[in-house]
Amino acid sequence: MTNQPYGGYGSYEPYQEPQAPGQGSAQGQGQGQGQAWPENQAYVDPYADQQYTQQWQGQTWETQLQPPVAPAPVAPVAPAPVAPAPDPVGADGPEYGPATLGGNSRVTDAQRARAEGRSPIIEPGMQPAVLTALLGLLLAGGAALGTYALLVPLVVLQGLTAAGWFRLNGMWPARQGIALGFLGALAADAALLVSDRSPAAILGTLGVWVLLSLVLQLRSHADPDERMYGLTATVVAAALAIVAGGYLAADADAVTVGAVAVAAGMVARALPLPTPVSVVVALLVAAGAGFALDGSAAGAGLGAGAAVCALIGHRVASYDYPSRFVHFTAGVALPLAVAAPAVYALARLLD
C-alpha cells in the first residue's frame, strides 16, 4: 500500500489566488489525488474565514502573545463658560417669588431701564385716565344718592389700590398682602358706618392694621431685608386702601366736587401735551370743574387741591417702569385714593 500522508486522505494544496470560472475546478481535480504535502509549506485552511485570516497576517508569536495594552485615560475637557443671554427689551424680568408678605428682592425694572438708557417713567395714558374718570363719576353719583350707594364704587377703588400697589413694587403674586390691605379697607368702612362716619374710625383701623402687619412679618422666615421690604409694602397698601375710605367721612357735596374734579383733571393730564403744560392744564380744568359744580371759589379750591393730590398719585403710578397691569390698577386707583384725604380736609377747611 502506498504510504500517503495523513492516513491516505490525500494532500492539501496551498492557498491560491482565485482564478477565472472554469479553471480552478479542473486543476483542483487533477492535483487533489496522490500528491504529497510539500515541505516547508504553510498550512492554510481553505474553509477558514478570509477576513479572520487576513487579520492574523503579518503578526509574530511575540505580538500574538502580548497582553492587550489599555489605552491611557483621557482627561475630560471642561466646557467653555457661556455668557448668559441679555434680557430682551420689554420683558417682564425675573420670575417673582412665591405668594408671601415678604416679597422677593431683585433688580428693579427701573434700574434695568436706566442701565439700558431708557426712562423708568411711563405714564398710564388715556385709557386708564378714562377709567379713573368713570370711577370718579361713579363715586360722585353714589355720594349724591346716599351712603350705601357710595360704598359700592368705593370698595372697587380700595381693591384696585391694594392690588396695584403690590404690583407697582414688583411683588406679584402677593395674595396675602393684597388680601390683608383689602380687609383693612373693609374694616375701616365698617367702622365708619358704625361710628356715623367719624374720621377717628379710619385712624383706629390704620393703627390696628399696622400692628397686625408687623406681627405677621415677625412670624415670617424670610431674610431680614425681604421682611422689611414686605412690611413696608403691606403697610403702605393697607394705608392707601384705608385712607380711600375718607370719601365716606366727607360730606356728599364735597365728594361730588372732588371726584368730578379728579375725573376731569386726569383726562386733561393724559392729553398729548408736554408734561409741564399738561400739569397746568389739568389743574385749571379741575378747578373749573369744581367751580362749575359748587359755584364758588371754595369749590374751585377744593377741585384744585384734589387735583394736586391726584397728580401725585398719577406720578407714583408712572414710576418703576410699570407694566400694563400696573397702569390699569394703580394708574386708575391711586389718583382717587390719594385725593380722598384732601377732599375731606379741604371741605372742612373751606366750609
Side-chain angles (χ1 to χ4, degrees):
M1 184 175 68
T2 304
N3 186 11
Q4 294 182 354
Y6 300 98
Y9 287 96
S11 63
Y12 291 94
E13 61 179 0
Y15 176 77
Q16 297 180 358
E17 294 295 331
Q19 299 177 358
Q23 298 179 2
S25 59
Q27 185 178 359
Q29 293 177 1
Q31 295 179 358
Q33 300 177 355
Q35 205 174 25
W37 183 264
E39 296 183 358
N40 300 328
Q41 180 66 43
Y43 169 74
V44 178
D45 188 1
Y47 300 99
D49 184 63
Q50 183 178 0
Q51 182 179 1
Y52 181 81
T53 304
Q54 293 176 358
Q55 182 179 0
W56 285 86
Q57 290 179 356
Q59 295 188 1
T60 62
W61 287 102
E62 289 78 10
T63 59
Q64 294 177 8
L65 296 177
Q66 291 293 334
V69 179
V74 179
V77 180
V82 180
D87 294 334
V89 177
D92 290 337
E95 293 293 336
Y96 297 104
T100 60
L101 293 176
N104 186 22
S105 60
R106 64 179 181 86
V107 177
T108 62
D109 294 333
Q111 294 174 350
R112 183 171 57 184
R114 291 191 184 97
E116 295 176 356
R118 295 179 283 114
S119 174
I121 306 299
I122 296 180
E123 297 179 356
M126 182 58 71
Q127 291 181 350
V130 171
L131 293 178
T132 302
L134 178 61
L135 188 56
L137 293 178
L138 291 176
L139 288 172
L145 293 176
T147 302
Y148 292 97
L150 173 62
L151 190 61
V152 176
L154 178 60
V155 170
V156 176
L157 172 63
Q158 291 168 333
L160 289 176
T161 302
W165 183 260
F166 272 92
R167 186 62 181 92
L168 181 62
N169 285 269
M171 301 175 64
W172 186 265
R175 299 180 183 89
Q176 296 179 9
I178 294 173
L180 185 62
F182 184 62
L183 287 177
L186 295 181
D189 296 342
L192 283 169
L193 294 176
V194 171
S195 63
D196 196 15
R197 300 193 300 175
S198 173
I202 295 178
L203 298 178
T205 306
L206 184 58
V208 171
W209 244 251
V210 170
L211 180 60
L212 180 60
S213 300
L214 181 60
V215 171
L216 291 178
Q217 286 301 319
L218 291 176
R219 294 173 57 88
S220 175
H221 299 286
D223 294 336
D225 293 338
E226 293 183 0
R227 281 188 291 179
M228 181 59 65
Y229 186 66
L231 176 62
T232 304
T234 304
V235 170
V236 174
L240 289 173
I242 291 172
V243 166
Y247 287 113
L248 279 179
D251 295 334
D253 294 338
V255 173
T256 301
V257 173
V260 172
V262 170
M266 288 300 99
V267 173
R269 178 66 177 84
L271 294 176
L273 298 173
T275 300
V277 177
S278 63
V279 169
V280 174
V281 171
L283 291 176
L284 293 176
V285 170
F291 182 81
L293 290 176
D294 190 68
S296 63
L302 177 60
V308 170
C309 295
L311 289 173
I312 294 174
H314 180 272
R315 176 64 172 75
V316 172
S318 305
Y319 185 67
D320 199 14
Y321 207 78
S323 63
R324 187 174 179 85
F325 185 87
V326 174
H327 285 164
F328 281 92
T329 51
V332 173
L334 284 184
L336 288 169
V338 176
V343 169
Y344 174 80
L346 291 176
R348 298 290 299 271
L349 182 62
L350 298 175
D351 189 4

